[in-house]
Each structure stands twice: as structure tokens, then as C-alpha cells.
Amino acid sequence: MKGYRLPEGGRIDRSARISFHWDEVVHSGFKGDTVASALLASGEWVIGRSFKYHRPRGIMSAGVEESGAIVSLWSGERRVTNVKATMAEICPGLEVFGQNAWPSVRRDFGAINDVLSRFFAAGFYYKTFFGITGRGTSEWMVFEEVIRRAAGMGRASDQPDPDDYEVVHDHCDVLVVGSGPSGLAAAEAAAGAGLDVILAEQDFEIGGSALTGLSGDIDGGAADAWCASRLAGLVASGGRVWTRTTAFGLYDHGVVGLIERVTDHRADAAGLPRERFRIVRAGRIILATGAIERPFAFGNNDRPGVMLAAATSAYVTRFGVAPGERVVLSTNNDSTYGVAAALAGAGLQTTLLDARSDLPEAAAETARAAGVDIRAGTIAVDVQGRTGVTSVLAGRHSAGGQATGGDRIDCDAIGVSGGWTPVMNLISHKGIRPVWNEDLASFVVDDPGIEPVTLVGAAAGQFSTPACIAAGHAAGEDAAKVLKGSRAAPLPRPDSGWQQPIAPVWEVSHPDRKLKCFVDPQHDVTTSDVRLAHREGYVSVEHMKRYTTLGMATDQGKMGNVIGLALMAEATGKTIPETGTTTFRPPYTPVSIGALAGDERGTHWRPTRHTPMRSEHERLGCVFTDAGFWRRSWYYPQGGEGLADAARREVVVVRSGVGMVDVSTLGKIMVQGPDATEFLNRVYSNPFAKLPVGKARYGLMLRDDGIVFDDGTTWRLSETDYFMTTTTANAGGVMLHLANLLQTRWPEMRVHITSVSDHWGGLAVAGPKARDVLDGACPDIDFSDDAFPFMGVRQGHLTTDVGEIPVMSARLSFSGEQAWEVMCPADYAPAMFRALEARLREAGGVPYGLEAMDCLRVEKGHVTGRELNGQTTAADMGLGGMVSKKKDFIGKVLLGRPELAREDRPTLVGLVPVSPNARFKAGSILFPPGEREGHGLGHVSSIADSPTVGSWIGLGFVTGGLAEWEGKVISAENPVDDQSVSVRVVSPHMFDPDGGRMHG
């Protein structure tokens, strides 16, 4: 017999039948069902497959701790993998699929791994695939793809996510997490005191343990009626109630991250987000997160039909589903007696095995009255059955999991309870370490000792329903007192409320049987794996966790972590407190990346920045490209040209005549104040103290460690005003760097900095005929050599179709040609473009884009971010002369480190292929001729198709530089494409090395 729907009972709406698909077969359930309860009611046992051995997995719980029934929902671009069937509500048309199996979870060819499991113990892949031939990492990569296909979970969609997500910020006086009896009592008390209260519950119904019968009657009446009354009082007092909302992380200053599942349970979700990421800032936080029942490890305890004892009650009481007709419960604590009575009361043949000899007589009497067969001093030893439970061997329990003898009990479901673990994950996110409580045989947080967090109820180790309610009520009242200036009362000590103490059991052993006992059923971690980890030297629980993968499945150790810690303590001869716990990190449950991103995806991920001349570029048919945050003009095709032909033509025109390029994306910073000159002198490695007004200077900016951070030109506009330009990519970073210096290192300096990157539009006019374009364009600026020398700066006005506009210009060159940069306020930039374009056309010139500009600078040997990659020094790029030996500056001290002063450091060179038609790629590794392996000599940083040189060219870094390799042939190796190109090392200044064109 398998699971089936009970003829009556449960909280489901039997009048609302819902159809859904399970592996493309139509099933049905009722409103209020989860995927797990609906499949269980349909008689489905095998819902999933384990990670490594592909053993069949059934439903193991009724909540977020689920480690067996892991499924995928929906199909195509909406597919979501690794969903716990116990938490997913059914809705019309829902598609549910098994995963990690072929052809299906019922018949999985991957189950061959289970037959070979003796060869797949913990760490087998390290020891096997790293050592067969001794090649180490390269050998592992051969097997990695095969292993990843055999192991793993669901397959994520490779299509763009079509759903919407929201990020919402909320505030409240009190946030209560968890809506069990203690959470409801806390929320109602706080709201009744006039506080703004939010109650967040991860389930789709309010009530927690009261929904499953575990709370028993409350105040002499039904638990669900009590919950409904408390909820009504909370809402009447103005409290906000959020269901389907999981608190996944607790952060500083009362900030809690929550994920609300908005539409996964709805067939019609038009106009609504799929999930909502709520960031709540609360004055006080009350964690009523409850506790999770844990199993213990015994033979074949991973078989479908073996589940937590409390889950069997949840399915019967809440969902009206019997997990089987004959149920055996095996426990070591009092909590299972109420479960047994509920099962028997629903007509199930129920046997209760209690590992203890001393029974809680009152609870036992109630269970016997309901028809439960109770066997004291007995424990489950071994399960019979593969895809479903057929029987269990029950042995006599002596102490600590030791069993002898045994009787075979026929059954079709087994419920296990090894105790309860308070849910302390959220408080642990604040660095609070739990302590071991011997009475509860569990870790608890006695007193978090931090504001503004309080734990109540089972989360604090209280398992008596009246005590939980009292603690919750007190916490709500205390929150009101604290927020009004009083001190909170101390937390009550944990009290199980049980009649008989728990008998700790972690693993069952039997002298006559070799048992395969699972600790982490999703990742196939067995008790022998934990012992193997210890034998191989992994004595830290963190190391044991990573070696065995215990607790690294989607349940994050909720099912098996405590068992694993206890087994490691036993193996090391330590106590559990001495062994310690692993670290809980957010999120508490899996969170979709889409929810965290919210609207910040696609073009909303970050602002798409256009230069102020965008409309003019579009008018000319420009093709744009992404360059950092910007959309920049890439090339201007004519007559059907592609990128290569257009860029080559533009380069030729600039070299022979004149061209114009948009440089508005440069970072621009105004540096002003009486100490501005001294500030720049400290920031740049080369001197700025004597820069005259009306001149610009190229500068290198270093990091503290001596590595080049950025380069650019700075124009001196007056005695106290400077206009700094930075690389496009580093504009924000330079601004933050300068601000940090002024605020933390030199706060006494009288300097003000302002980012004006978006305030100015800029054009660079370059080429032998550049002066022809600019002469006469600005009535009050003389562009002659005498009046406007190289690196000069002038301010004036430009005549445009909207009148004369203010401009400032500097004579400097990135292309190696005679060139001027002209800047104007951004609002006037389109008019400036039109005015200079008209004069450009008269001179036979063309606008050029980013591709041509990059080729021009590679020909000239100018560096960009590809060379300023965070690893290079000024000397590496041949700019050692720009490092002053007479003044102090940022980075000077550490620039003198021996490692940065080595003569054999890779330095900048030019690269030209030996065969003019050969092409090589940026990122290629440079080797001496005939070599292809090892670290090589350096790498190729930039490449370009140069019509000036007549071949593909590049810049790169070579150990020994020009001094050792100039004129010699080396090899550019691209192992990704298996490409090898012979290149000759030349000066990086492949065009006009003396600079005559710039200065002429």
C-alpha cells in the first residue's frame, strides 16, 4: 500500500479540484495541497533521485527541510529547478518534473552508480581522477564533464527569464518571523501595544505547528481556532501579515532580507511579479522560527516511505493524506506520541517504537487509547524495500543507538524522530554561535546578546505550547517597552516541556548486520563517509563538511548536520560542544537570482549612457557598440561596408587628411582650490607644481602599491582651477580615489573636486589637416603653432547654427597626428558636432569611430586599460621617465619594492606578424620560438588591423622587452583556438616614433 487520500479531514478545499502535470502525466489535488501532498495522495512514492548514487528518493518532510522530493517546476524559459515539492503549491496547469534522472525518476539508468557505490566513497573523485596518470589538474578536466553529467540536480533554463521581479523597502516597529503559536502571540501583543507590526510566514497558511496537530489543543479549544482568533486580533490592530514570505538573511541595524513568492501558486499572474524581494528595517525583530525535527541514521533510512514523524502527522492532519496504511514510528522523545495518536485516529494501523524504556505515561496512555501499539526500548534498525517500504526490522535498544535482536514489522511508511533542532540560522547570520543543551540534545541560543533580536518558542528551545505562547506574548510586550525606552526582560531558559528526557540517538548499529545509514540523503553522505573523513585527517567539522559534501545540498544541512557533527565528535573522541558547528550563512533557503536583481536586468541592470552627440551619430548612420557604461560610435559604414573595411578607410583618412571622433566619454573632474596644485603634485607620479596656466600635462596616477591606476591629461585653466581627464573606464574609480585622499589622508588640504563627466561634450579633430578644420571656427582662438603650441589650452567660442557657444580646447593627441580636443557644455554638443562636421567635409575628412581610434593608438603605441590592467608599472610601459625622483607621490614607496624593480619584468613592445596576412588575437601567450607550454614570455594586450603598417599589429608585454627581443621572432600562441602565429618584436611606436606629426 502507498499513500492515499483520506475520505475526510484536512484543511484542503475538497470542492476545488486542481489538475496538474507530473512528468507529463495528469494528476489532481485540491486547493491547499502542495505538490508533495498531491503526489503522495496519488500514490506516487519515488519523486526524486539522489545526487551521487541515483538512489530513489521519496517525500521526507513537509517543509523547507525536504531533502528527497526535489523537483523542477514549469518548462521552457520559466523552468525553475531544485524546488522542494513540500513547499510548492499546486495550481491549474502546473508542470512538475523529476530531475537528475534518465529517462525518469521511476526508471533511472543512473542507478548503476548505486551498484558501484563502494567505489564512490567520499572524496573518490579527488583520489581517483587526479591520480590515474599523475597529470593532476589536466587529468581531472577530462573526467569533470562526465562526472557533472552523472551527478547534479536540475537543469536550469538557458533562455532569458520572462518573469518580472520587484525589490521593495519596508519599515516597521516590530518584525515577527514565524506564525506558530509563539509568533502569533508576539505579533498580537506588539500590535495591541500600538506598534507597527509585520508578521512574515514562509508557508501559505498562518499557524505553524498548529496546522499539523503538533500543538495539541490550546486554551481548551482547537489550535486552528485559537490561531484564527489571534490573527483576527492582529489584523484588527493594524498588523501586516505576509504569507509565502521567507526571511532568508539577518543583517546589521535591524535589516532583514525576505523573499515573497507572489505568483507561483496562481494560474493567472498577469501584471504581477513572480517574486518580491523585501528589505525590511525593523526597530525590533522577534524570531519565532520554530524547530525542525531531525531523523537518526539507520539501515536504508533513505528509502521512499521513510519520513520525519511530524511530517506523517502534517499530511494526515493538514492535507488529509495518509502516508501509508500501516505506519511505524520510531522515536527517542515525547513529541511523537501526539503524532501516533493523530495517525491512529485517522484509521491508520500505527506502531510506535520508543528507544527509551521509561515512557511518558500520560502521552502513552492517550496514544494507546487511540489504538497505537507502543513498544518500549525498541528502535528501527533496517528498512526492507527499494522503491517503497515493505517492512522494518525493529531491534532492542540498549544505549546510544546500539540494537540487538529484532522483529520484522510489515509496514508501508516509517516516521522517524531523533529530536528537534531550533531554527537558529538567522541569528547565526549575526555571528552568534549556538551552545549545546544536554537536556534537549540540541544546539540552542540561550541569549543572543545583540539588539534588536529576540528568539521565542521552539526557536529558543521551548517545546511546550503554553510556554511558547507565554514567551511570545512577553516578547511582544517587551518590544513595546524597549521602543518606548525601557529595558527588555531576560529570556526564559529553554524547557522542552516533555515528561521524559530525550535519549540521544544519532546512528543505529547492530552486531549482526552491516547497515548502510544515510546522514545527508540528497548528497548520499553516509555515516561511513563521515568516519572515512576522520581517518583521512579531516578533523575540523568545516573540513569534514567539504570533503563529504554533508550539508551542502539544497536543504543546507537541515536534515543531517547535527547527526554528522555528533558522528565526528564520536570519531575524534570529543564531546559535541568541543566539536562545534559549521557556519550558517545566508540565505536560509534558496533565493532566486532574479528576485535579488529585481528590475536591474537587461538595460535596467545599469544606466545605458549615450554621449550628448548621439543624435548626430545616428544621422550619419553610425553603428554603435557597448564600451563600459557607454554606447559609443563604433564605425560609420559607407556603401555596404562592414566593420573592417569602414575602420580601415577611416584610419587612412585620418592619417592622410583629417578625422573627428567623439571623446565625450572621457572622465572629467574639476579640481579647484588654493591647494589644487599641491594636491595634483601628490596624486600624479610626474611633477605638476610648475605647470603654467594655459597648458596641459599628461599624468600617471599610481595606486599605493606602485601599480599604475590611471592616466590622462590635466588642463590648468587658472591659478586654482584644473580640468582633469581620465580614461573612460576609470572615471568613477578615480573620482572615488581622489575623494578618499581628501577625506582620510589630507583633510587639511583646501581642495574641492567635482565630477563633470556629463557636463562636457568633447570632440577630437586629428590629422595633417586638423588646423584647416579649426582655423576660423572660433573667432577668439588662434590655432597657429605660435599661439597654440603642443599641450596648450585655450578658451573661447565656436560659431554654430545656434550662435556662438563657449568652448575650451587643448592641443594634444591620442592618434599620433596633429590634433586638438574641443570641449563644450553638453547641451551645445550637437551644435558643435554639426559645425565642425561641415568644416570637416570641406577639408575632405570624415568622422571616425572607436575601432579606428583604437587602431590609431596601437600604431602610435599609446596605452589604454588593456595595458593598464592593474599589474603594470610605469617602467613596464616604457614610461619610467614619468616617475619623479625628486618629489613624493602616491605609490612611490612601494614602487621601490625589488619585485617591481626587476630588470626582467615584462615590458611593452610592438608585435608584427612575420607573414603579412597572418592574424593573432589579444590574450595570446608569447613564447620563444618552438615552445608552447609553461608561463611563456608574456602576452598580447591589444591588436589592430593596420592599413598604415600593412598588416595585423599588436602591443604586448615581453620579459626582457626590446633590449633583449627587438627584431627577433617569437610565437603568439592561442591555446583556445589552437592557433600559433610567428611575430616579430618591434618598437611599440610603430608610427612616427619621433612624434614629428603631433608637434608639426
Side-chain angles (χ1 to χ4, degrees):
M1 186 69 182
K2 297 182 179 179
Y4 59 95
R5 182 76 69 179
L6 293 169
E8 60 182 13
R11 299 176 60 82
I12 54 174
D13 183 354
R14 295 178 184 259
S15 66
R17 184 173 289 276
I18 297 174
S19 295
F20 66 100
H21 291 80
W22 163 239
D23 276 351
E24 300 182 353
V25 176
V26 177
H27 286 260
S28 67
F30 298 107
K31 184 178 180 181
D33 263 325
T34 63
V35 169
S37 66
L39 290 178
L40 189 60
S42 299
E44 294 285 353
W45 264 136
V46 180
I47 311 300
R49 290 279 169 168
S50 64
F51 182 85
K52 185 166 62 173
Y53 299 148
H54 285 243
R55 286 168 68 100
R57 292 286 180 262
I59 298 163
M60 295 183 168
S61 75
V64 296
E65 67 272 29
E66 181 59 34
S67 191
I70 309 299
V71 299
S72 296
L73 300 184
W74 306 106
S75 59
E77 68 274 12
R78 295 201 72 231
R79 182 171 64 227
V80 180
T81 63
N82 301 332
V83 177
K84 302 176 193 308
T86 52
M87 294 299 293
E89 300 170 62
I90 63 171
C91 64
L94 176 66
E95 300 171 285
V96 186
F97 301 94
Q99 56 186 39
N100 192 36
W102 186 83
S104 73
V105 291
R106 268 82 61 199
R107 296 177 179 84
D108 179 18
F109 286 178
I112 186 66
N113 287 3
D114 192 23
V115 179
L116 303 173
S117 61
R118 61 177 298 184
F119 303 108
F120 298 152
F124 79 95
Y125 29 81
Y126 301 119
K127 292 176 285 187
T128 303
F129 299 118
F130 273 89
I132 292 178
T133 65
R135 294 201 307 270
T137 301
S138 61
E139 181 180 301
W140 161 252
M141 294 176 70
V142 175
F143 296 99
E144 182 180 23
E145 184 174 354
V146 177
I147 292 174
R148 288 190 182 278
R149 287 181 179 274
M153 303 307 298
R155 185 179 180 86
S157 172
D158 57 3
Q159 303 173 47
D161 188 345
D163 293 307
D164 294 322
Y165 302 86
E166 287 182 351
V167 178
V168 178
H169 292 264
D170 294 284
H171 298 78
C172 63
D173 294 326
V174 178
L175 171 65
V176 180
V177 180
S179 71
S182 60
L184 277 171
E188 186 189 33
L195 300 181
D196 179 16
V197 177
I198 293 175
L199 174 64
E201 169 57 53
Q202 65 187 359
D203 206 335
F204 56 88
E205 273 196 278
I206 297 296
S209 61
L211 300 176
T212 63
L214 293 178
S215 296
D217 291 343
I218 302 178
D219 291 345
D224 55 355
W226 182 91
C227 291
S229 175
R230 302 286 81 70
L231 180 61
L234 170 62
V235 173
S237 299
R240 289 173 277 174
V241 179
W242 297 343
T243 55
R244 303 180 179 89
T245 303
T246 302
F248 67 83
L250 180 61
Y251 305 93
D252 292 339
H253 310 297
V255 176
V256 183
L258 304 100
I259 294 292
E260 178 186 2
R261 306 183 301 279
V262 180
T263 60
D264 274 346
H265 63 289
R266 300 179 55 163
D268 178 17
L272 293 174
R274 187 170 191 168
E275 293 181 345
R276 187 174 287 127
F277 175 21
R278 292 187 177 275
I279 302 172
V280 176
R281 292 167 175 83
R284 298 288 298 176
I285 300 167
I286 299 175
L287 299 180
T289 45
I292 290 177
E293 192 172 29
R294 62 172 181 263
F296 51 82
F298 57 98
N300 292 308
N301 61 316
D302 66 322
R303 294 304 189 191
V306 179
M307 62 177 66
L308 296 174
T312 63
S313 175
Y315 287 112
V316 168
T317 306
R318 180 176 179 183
F319 301 106
V321 176
E325 190 175 57
R326 294 165 298 172
V327 182
V328 172
L329 302 174
S330 187
T331 189
N332 63 350
N333 63 85
D334 291 4
S335 68
T336 315
Y337 283 81
V339 172
L343 299 185
L348 279 61
Q349 181 180 321
T350 307
T351 302
L352 175 60
L353 312 178
D354 195 326
R356 303 169 297 178
S357 298
D358 295 329
L359 304 182
E361 288 305 327
E365 183 178 346
T366 301
R368 288 193 183 99
V372 179
D373 177 13
I374 301 177
R375 304 187 186 186
T378 311
I379 196 166
V381 175
D382 197 10
V383 177
Q384 190 71 30
R386 177 168 176 79
T387 59
V389 173
T390 59
S391 66
V392 63
L393 178 68
R396 294 297 303 172
H397 179 248
S398 54
Q402 299 292 323
T404 57
D407 297 322
R408 182 70 60 181
I409 304 174
D410 292 335
C411 59
D412 45 23
I414 300 173
V416 185
S417 178
W420 292 81
T421 301
V423 177
M424 305 164 296
N425 299 60
L426 290 175
I427 195 68
S428 296
H429 296 170
K430 294 288 293 176
I432 303 300
R433 284 282 185 176
V435 296
W436 183 253
N437 185 295
E438 293 287 350
D439 294 336
L440 300 176
S442 184
F443 285 100
V444 299
V445 175
D446 284 338
D447 182 356
I450 60 171
E451 295 291 342
V453 185
T454 303
L455 281 86
V456 297
Q462 298 159 331
F463 296 103
S464 162
T465 300
C468 288
I469 294 173
H473 189 81
E477 291 184 334
D478 283 350
K481 293 177 183 177
V482 170
L483 293 175
K484 294 175 183 178
S486 300
R487 298 188 64 179
L491 290 170
R493 299 289 299 175
D495 177 16
S496 69
W498 296 331
Q499 299 173 35
Q500 292 292 342
I502 187 173
V505 175
W506 314 112
E507 177 191 15
V508 177
S509 61
H510 195 285
D512 302 326
R513 288 178 172 271
K514 185 176 181 180
L515 304 175
K516 192 166 191 174
C517 308
F518 285 83
V519 181
D520 186 329
Q522 187 176 348
H523 270 190
D524 288 317
V525 180
T526 64
T527 54
S528 60
D529 288 330
V530 175
R531 295 189 180 92
L532 176 63
H534 171 254
R535 290 199 301 273
E536 298 196 352
Y538 294 90
V539 295
S540 163
V541 292
E542 294 286 0
H543 294 162
M544 178 270 288
K545 168 184 174 179
R546 283 155 180 79
Y547 188 67
T548 63
T549 70
L550 170 63
M552 295 170 67
T554 57
D555 75 317
Q556 289 292 285
K558 295 179 180 67
M559 290 282 277
N561 254 20
V562 175
I563 302 174
L565 298 175
L567 294 175
M568 179 58 78
E570 177 186 298
T572 57
K574 297 180 179 179
T575 64
I576 293 178
E578 289 172 333
T579 303
T581 66
T582 54
T583 302
F584 297 117
R585 298 181 179 90
Y588 169 64
T589 57
V591 174
S592 65
I593 295 175
L596 296 178
D599 289 334
E600 296 179 13
R601 60 177 185 159
T603 56
H604 293 289
W605 175 47
R606 60 186 183 190
T608 300
R609 303 181 70 179
H610 297 276
T611 75
M613 302 172 209
R614 172 190 178 186
S615 60
E616 301 303 318
H617 298 309
E618 291 175 337
R619 174 176 60 82
L620 298 177
C622 173
V623 177
F624 293 89
T625 187
D626 291 319
F629 292 107
W630 294 89
R631 292 286 288 170
R632 296 191 67 175
S633 51
W634 195 7
Y635 63 98
Y636 298 81
Q638 294 182 4
E641 289 176 326
L643 169 63
D645 291 337
R648 287 174 64 89
R649 173 182 51 80
E650 292 168 9
V651 170
V652 169
V653 173
V654 173
R655 291 288 185 223
S656 61
V658 64
M660 181 174 72
V661 64
D662 188 346
V663 295
S664 303
T665 61
L666 290 173
K668 310 174 194 73
I669 301 172
M670 291 300 300
V671 182
Q672 300 168 303
D675 296 328
T677 302
E678 173 59 20
F679 176 65
L680 293 172
N681 207 43
R682 297 182 187 182
V683 167
Y684 284 118
S685 66
N686 49 315
F688 270 73
K690 297 181 180 180
L691 179 65
V693 174
K695 294 284 284 186
R697 180 162 293 168
Y698 175 72
L700 279 182
M701 196 178 297
L702 309 187
R703 301 186 318 212
D704 282 303
D705 61 1
I707 298 296
V708 176
F709 175 40
D710 196 62
D711 70 339
T713 60
T714 295
W715 311 1
R716 188 166 192 177
L717 306 181
S718 74
E719 288 295 329
T720 58
D721 291 354
Y722 290 85
F723 179 75
M724 174 190 291
T725 67
T726 75
T727 58
T728 297
N730 265 351
V734 171
M735 183 66 188
L736 291 174
H737 175 62
L738 300 181
N740 178 65
L741 293 174
L742 288 172
Q743 292 180 36
T744 63
R745 301 197 199 182
W746 309 316
E748 75 284 356
M749 296 195 80
R750 297 168 297 168
V751 177
H752 185 78
I753 57 173
T754 308
S755 174
V756 292
S757 295
D758 293 326
H759 181 74
W760 294 94
L763 288 169
V765 181
K769 298 181 180 180
R771 184 179 282 111
D772 296 344
V773 173
L774 295 170
D775 262 344
C778 301
D780 45 3
I781 298 179
D782 183 351
F783 286 91
S784 66
D785 283 336
D786 291 338
F788 207 148
F790 186 67
M791 299 304 284
V793 176
R794 300 292 182 266
Q795 299 184 63
H797 297 80
L798 173 71
T799 303
T800 72
D801 54 13
V802 297
E804 290 193 350
I805 63 172
V807 295
M808 57 182 178
S809 178
R811 184 177 174 183
L812 44 87
S813 177
F814 190 58
S815 62
E817 296 290 347
Q818 185 181 76
W820 281 264
E821 286 184 7
V822 184
M823 299 282 178
C824 76
D827 289 347
Y828 294 121
M832 179 175 71
F833 188 96
R834 291 191 298 271
L836 293 182
E837 185 212 352
R839 302 178 68 89
L840 183 76
R841 300 294 187 186
E842 292 177 1
V846 295
Y848 64 96
L850 189 61
E851 189 74 14
M853 184 178 74
D854 197 50
C855 179
L856 293 166
R857 71 95 187 171
V858 172
E859 291 176 346
K860 182 60 179 173
H862 286 162
V863 296
T864 65
R866 298 171 194 169
E867 287 72 42
L868 309 178
N869 61 3
Q871 298 175 306
T872 52
T873 67
D876 295 342
M877 294 179 291
L879 300 175
M882 297 191 64
V883 177
S884 174
K885 296 180 173 58
K886 298 181 179 179
K887 72 179 184 78
D888 197 9
F889 55 87
I890 295 293
K892 181 175 183 178
V893 174
L894 292 183
L895 181 60
R897 288 176 292 167
E899 176 62 25
L900 299 189
R902 285 191 296 108
E903 293 184 359
D904 62 344
R905 282 181 61 85
T907 55
L908 188 69
V909 300
L911 301 166
V912 178
V914 173
S915 173
N917 296 323
R919 296 188 174 192
F920 54 98
K921 291 188 175 181
S924 296
I925 305 171
L926 299 172
F927 288 96
E931 295 185 19
R932 298 197 66 181
E933 294 186 0
H935 294 293
L937 298 170
H939 71 281
V940 180
S941 58
S942 299
I943 49 92
D945 181 8
S946 170
T948 307
V949 177
S951 70
W952 211 255
I953 63 173
L955 296 176
F957 292 89
V958 176
T959 300
L962 290 177
E964 182 175 349
W965 292 99
E966 187 169 16
K968 297 179 182 179
V969 175
I970 60 177
S971 180
E973 302 290 337
N974 180 5
V976 176
D977 297 332
D978 195 24
Q979 179 192 54
S980 178
V981 178
S982 295
V983 295
R984 192 178 308 280
V985 177
V986 299
S987 167
H989 310 297
M990 290 167 275
F991 172 79
D992 189 29
D994 297 329
R997 305 267 290 208
M998 290 192 303
H999 298 87

